[in-house]
Amino acid sequence: MSRYPDNQSQMGANVMPERFTETLHAASEPGWSQAVGHRFVNELFAGTLPDAVMARYLIQDHRFLDSFLMLLGAVLASADTFEARLRFGRFIGMVSSEENTYFLRAFEALGVTEDRRAADPDTQPTAGFKAIMREAAETRSYAAALSVLVVTEWLYLDWASRAPTPPNNFVHADWISLHDNPGFRAFVDFLRAELDRIGPAQADLCRDFFGRAVALELSFFEAAYADRT
Amino acid sequence: MSRYPDNQSQMGANVMPERFTETLHAASEPGWSQAVGHRFVNELFAGTLPDAVMARYLIQDHRFLDSFLMLLGAVLASADTFEARLRFGRFIGMVSSEENTYFLRAFEALGVTEDRRAADPDTQPTAGFKAIMREAAETRSYAAALSVLVVTEWLYLDWASRAPTPPNNFVHADWISLHDNPGFRAFVDFLRAELDRIGPAQADLCRDFFGRAVALELSFFEAAYADRT
């Protein structure tokens, strides 16, 4: 694709080959670390996150679950091995059941009604996530879709795995454990291995989607603190 | 089959407008009834199905699970409501876990090795199913993909729900119960309601995919009895 000329020769001749996802991750700094160490994460760990912030955040996060499932559908359709398809299929099942149920339980606990959920407008990062997920799905490129997915899952594992003792509040504790458990960790390992395998042949495409997704994750945390109401 | 009149004109002139999926079903006769009442089904119910036939059948059926997941991915990406996406997502999870595990347990019980599975060539109906699933996925039309899916699931519910007492052999009993349980029945109701809703606007496309899929189901049962080895 002429839009994404590959330019691997930049890497030089005597550099140790790094994992491709490690290269993408390094190129996304300092945004990655700013997201992982965001005030939202620290307050979540400390149990001091205001309900109003958590509610705003979860409303937006649930809002793009639909686009996320669309992206996962594109990945399921475009993955190049049966084994990969089975893993994505099981992950899709989890997102459509346990993860969706978490949102509904959390909304109830936070007193967030369906009307409120419908009334809150999309924040700019939510609109951006919806757009990048649809864009990646529409490329029909496994590499493009994977690049977005590696960010949304790996970055979440990265912050969640830094949690000290779990908070008492299930709304906080379950949001952490959904993103830091053995199954999820194995899934992120699998995602990274897939992108390490197929990404280098479309390196610029991957870098573009990966970088934009990291920037969106950071601004998504920011938006939870923007008082829009 | 009396339950499914195979000719709409028999129903008389002053009948209420029929469900779209009922019309597709009627147009697919007598193939549909021949599939649902096939010798394979009757022998499965009676516990007299030879292991060699069941093995040949399951090898082929598992063979196109990959294309089936690809089709489900296309459906997940193209469905037009969040609620539909959640239902497909949960079904995809089931196919990628319980259903895939059934195959592996059955292969073990039947003494079917991985080498044997790899060595058996695709039968013509298997190749046909793979092709129609990829074709439907590639249209990116929710209606096309749904038309194939309604056949593969509804036709299986139709025969499985006629089973008398379950056979003792788990290979037979679980293949029936995978296609006749409350969750599966609700899923087929949902699939039909979706196709009733969106199919009429693309009726010819739906009729084409539906009709070809029914013919493939019949020839798929036939192929299990063709001694190819």
Side-chain angles (χ1 to χ4, degrees):
Chain A
M1 203 171 286
S2 56
R3 200 172 140 206
Y4 300 107
D6 285 337
N7 221 340
Q8 287 187 284
S9 58
Q10 292 172 351
M11 293 178 68
N14 49 9
V15 173
M16 280 291 286
E18 206 177 22
R19 287 184 68 168
F20 181 62
T21 48
E22 214 42 88
T23 311
L24 294 177
H25 168 237
S28 77
E29 291 292 6
W32 182 288
S33 292
Q34 285 167 357
V36 167
H38 195 272
R39 174 182 169 193
F40 177 92
V41 173
N42 296 330
E43 293 184 356
L44 185 70
F45 290 170
T48 57
L49 190 67
D51 279 357
V53 173
M54 190 64 176
R56 254 199 308 267
Y57 168 88
L58 288 179
I59 289 168
Q60 297 296 320
D61 205 276
H62 189 245
R63 190 73 63 78
F64 71 69
L65 198 53
D66 192 34
S67 309
F68 187 57
L69 285 172
M70 190 179 289
L71 177 70
L72 287 169
V75 165
L76 194 66
S78 63
D80 59 353
T81 68
F82 179 47
E83 284 310 314
R85 246 185 278 284
L86 287 176
R87 294 203 73 149
F88 285 118
R90 291 193 292 267
F91 181 69
I92 288 167
M94 190 281 291
V95 169
S96 308
S97 49
E98 290 93 313
E99 186 157 330
N100 189 58
T101 304
Y102 162 79
F103 279 105
L104 303 183
R105 287 187 300 128
F107 288 139
E108 199 176 349
L110 292 166
V112 173
T113 62
E114 283 204 43
D115 285 351
R116 159 79 192 280
R117 282 160 55 197
D120 263 27
D122 281 358
T123 61
Q124 201 149 2
T126 298
F129 262 125
K130 284 181 172 178
I132 200 175
M133 285 175 178
R134 279 165 200 264
E135 181 189 345
E138 281 166 12
T139 60
R140 294 193 154 197
S141 151
Y142 184 35
L146 259 182
S147 299
V148 176
L149 207 50
V150 165
V151 171
T152 60
E153 307 313 293
W154 185 19
L155 191 146
Y156 266 55
L157 172 64
D158 193 7
W159 70 251
S161 63
R162 296 168 194 226
T165 49
N168 288 324
N169 183 336
F170 90 86
V171 174
H172 298 176
D174 290 8
W175 189 241
I176 297 169
S177 64
L178 268 171
H179 300 103
D180 181 29
N181 62 67
F184 188 68
R185 189 173 290 273
F187 184 64
V188 171
D189 285 346
F190 156 75
L191 286 179
R192 289 189 57 196
E194 285 291 274
L195 189 55
D196 287 338
R197 175 173 70 83
I198 65 147
Q202 292 168 274
D204 286 348
L205 174 80
C206 295
R207 229 184 322 268
D208 173 43
F209 276 102
F210 193 101
R212 286 192 284 147
V214 171
L216 283 165
E217 290 291 0
L218 176 57
S219 58
F220 193 82
F221 283 139
E222 289 292 332
Y225 289 89
D227 199 356
R228 305 173 49 97
T229 50
Chain B
M1 204 111 332
S2 56
R3 201 172 138 203
Y4 299 114
D6 59 17
N7 186 335
Q8 271 191 271
S9 63
Q10 292 173 351
M11 298 179 67
N14 49 7
V15 168
M16 289 287 289
E18 207 176 26
R19 290 179 66 168
F20 180 63
T21 49
E22 212 44 87
T23 310
L24 294 177
H25 168 241
S28 78
E29 291 292 6
W32 182 288
S33 292
Q34 285 167 356
V36 167
H38 194 273
R39 174 182 168 194
F40 178 92
V41 173
N42 296 330
E43 293 184 357
L44 185 71
F45 289 171
T48 57
L49 190 67
D51 279 357
V53 173
M54 189 64 176
R56 255 199 305 269
Y57 168 88
L58 288 178
I59 289 169
Q60 297 296 322
D61 206 277
H62 190 243
R63 190 73 63 79
F64 72 67
L65 198 54
D66 192 34
S67 310
F68 187 56
L69 285 173
M70 191 179 290
L71 178 70
L72 287 169
V75 165
L76 193 66
S78 63
D80 59 353
T81 68
F82 179 47
E83 283 310 314
R85 245 185 278 285
L86 287 176
R87 295 204 72 149
F88 284 118
R90 290 193 292 266
F91 181 69
I92 288 167
M94 191 282 291
V95 168
S96 307
S97 50
E98 289 94 313
E99 185 155 331
N100 189 58
T101 305
Y102 162 79
F103 280 105
L104 303 182
R105 288 187 300 128
F107 288 139
E108 200 177 348
L110 292 166
V112 174
T113 63
E114 282 204 42
D115 286 350
R116 158 80 192 280
R117 282 161 53 195
D120 263 27
D122 282 358
T123 61
Q124 202 150 1
T126 298
F129 262 125
K130 284 180 171 178
I132 200 174
M133 285 174 177
R134 279 163 199 265
E135 181 189 346
E138 282 167 12
T139 60
R140 294 190 153 196
S141 150
Y142 184 35
L146 260 183
S147 299
V148 175
L149 207 50
V150 165
V151 171
T152 60
E153 307 313 293
W154 185 19
L155 191 146
Y156 265 55
L157 172 63
D158 193 8
W159 69 252
S161 62
R162 296 167 194 229
T165 49
N168 288 323
N169 182 335
F170 90 84
V171 175
H172 298 175
D174 290 7
W175 190 241
I176 297 169
S177 64
L178 268 172
H179 300 103
D180 181 29
N181 63 67
F184 188 67
R185 188 173 292 272
F187 184 64
V188 171
D189 284 345
F190 155 75
L191 287 178
R192 289 189 58 196
E194 285 291 274
L195 190 53
D196 287 337
R197 175 173 69 84
I198 63 147
Q202 292 168 274
D204 286 347
L205 175 81
C206 295
R207 226 181 326 267
D208 172 44
F209 276 102
F210 194 101
R212 286 192 283 145
V214 171
L216 283 165
E217 289 290 0
L218 176 57
S219 59
F220 194 81
F221 282 139
E222 289 293 332
Y225 288 89
D227 200 356
R228 305 172 50 97
T229 49

